Amino acid sequence: MNNKRAIIVTSGFLLFISGFGIWSTLQPDRTLSEFENRVLATFPTFSWDKVWSGRYADQLDDYLVDQFVNRDNWVGLKSDMERFSGKAENNNVFFGNSDYLFERFTYNGEQLEKNIQQIARFAKRHQNTMDSFSLLLVPNSQTLNGEYLPSYAASTDEPQSPLMDRIFSELSEVISPVDIRNVLNQKKTAEQIYYRTDHHWTTHGAYYGYKTFAESIGLPPIPEEKLKKNEISDSFYGTFYTKANQRSITPDALELLETPLPEYEVCIQGQEKCERSFYDMNALNERDKYKVFFGGNFPLVTITVPYEDERKDRSIVVFKDSYANAMVPFLAQHYSTVHMIDMRFFRMDVDQYLAEHQFDDMLMLYSVATVAQDDIFKWLN
């Protein structure tokens, strides 16, 4: 009986594995997993060099794992089972209360100090060449919504407020700090400041960042009651959702806050045709719906608004990461020319570019994570 049972179990297991293997082979290969928001491995090209080095076996293993039939469902089921068992984190993303997701934040002190020094070098050259030169730092979601974090997360997550204090303090002599923490804390009970499934702030959060910046340089911000709310999607899943692979999370709503503008142009470096809108509505059909703002991130984006009011015949250059994409449309209410420069991709001579265009104001708008982690500010110099 024991031998018979062993044969039945072994045969069933082999049949199960073989069946799924054949099924996977018959399915067409996928190039992208929308659930995981990443490119999937394709069948490796054969060469004897790759065989002897072991790379062929590694690539074949990646291919079989990525192209396994119904992969997205299996990945989601694994995450569901881990969550059910009490696990409060997956891929460095914390499962918070009220369907909030948070990414564990750490940083390298040496990289942070290098970035501060690079920004300071750049600011010293330009602090007296414009009417205003400001630094706006956007903290991460847990800085405002820490009450939703799992109980153990605080001991494994670096707080960002002390970092903001340090960055502002070390740069305050050469660049004007724009501290938005107080206003975001005041507004978070009435408005959703950050998406639950994504690292970005919502359009409401971006509005309060804009309002604080405008007031800091003497511009009258657009009153909130004059903004038209336009919900363009109720099924937005962001980067945290993708990393956590947690299917039971309720999606976010994606909302725009708009006011009328003269017919303006948005020109993206490398694209032949300029657009008539800040928003790429085709992105609503993609996995990353946050790309609705300008269609994503580019080295250089220029915005031109034909104002007749001489008071608005001004220009501003914004050095930015993706957090600026939701805020810059508000700035167009005050400037006839807005240039957005993303130093992750921009490789022109920055000093020469600024000398050629003679901007009135300059704003550096970055998340704290970008300043603490990314090695991009060397390109300023």
Side-chain angles (χ1 to χ4, degrees), residues 349-366:
D349 185 297
V350 178
D351 288 353
Q352 181 179 340
Y353 188 86
L354 296 178
E356 289 175 357
H357 292 85
Q358 296 291 310
F359 296 99
D360 295 299
D361 298 311
M362 180 152 58
L363 169 65
M364 301 188 78
L365 197 168
Y366 289 102

Side-chain angles (χ1 to χ4, degrees), residues 11 26 31 36-37 69 73 106 124 127 145 174 190 192 257 300 302 317 323 332:
S11 300
L26 295 176
T31 57
E36 296 177 84
N37 195 27
V69 67
N73 289 330
T106 59
K124 286 176 182 177
Q127 64 181 131
N145 299 313
V174 291
Q192 186 177 342
L257 299 174
L300 176 65
T302 61
V317 57
Y323 280 78

Side-chain angles (χ1 to χ4, degrees), residues 105-248:
F105 173 74
T106 59
Y107 71 98
N108 181 294
E110 183 179 351
Q111 184 62 60
L112 170 64
E113 189 55 38
K114 286 180 180 178
N115 288 344
I116 292 174
Q117 291 174 5
Q118 295 286 4
I119 294 171
R121 280 182 58 196
F122 173 72
K124 286 176 182 177
R125 294 198 304 275
H126 297 285
Q127 64 181 131
N128 297 319
T129 63
M130 303 184 194
D131 294 342
S132 71
F133 186 4
S134 306
L135 172 64
L136 191 159
L137 295 177
V138 186
N140 59 8
S141 178
Q142 52 261 51
T143 300
L144 264 73
N145 299 313
E147 65 270 23
Y148 297 120
L149 279 166
S151 56
Y152 78 93
S155 62
T156 61
D157 186 65
E158 294 279 358
Q160 288 196 351
S161 270
L163 281 185
M164 294 180 69
D165 293 337
R166 175 183 171 185
I167 295 167
F168 283 147
S169 174
E170 294 193 28
L171 293 172
S172 60
E173 292 186 3
V174 291
I175 187 168
S176 301
V178 180
D179 194 340
I180 61 175
R181 284 172 290 185
N182 286 339
V183 67
L184 295 187
N185 270 309
Q186 291 168 9
K187 299 295 184 179
K188 72 175 187 177
T189 55
E191 304 282 1
Q192 186 177 342
I193 301 299
Y194 290 88
Y195 297 110
R196 290 175 293 97
T197 69
D198 192 67
H199 62 289
H200 292 105
W201 53 6
T202 65
T203 317
H204 290 276
Y207 168 77
Y208 294 122
Y210 145 77
K211 184 173 184 288
T212 306
F213 166 70
E215 291 171 344
S216 74
I217 63 170
L219 295 175
I222 315 159
E224 190 173 3
E225 58 271 17
K226 289 190 176 181
L227 297 172
K228 179 184 177 182
K229 298 180 181 180
N230 179 18
E231 184 176 307
I232 56 175
S233 175
D234 60 0
S235 58
F236 171 50
Y237 287 107
T239 53
F240 292 166
Y241 173 84
T242 299
K243 292 180 180 180
N245 297 322
Q246 182 53 240
R247 298 179 299 176
S248 61

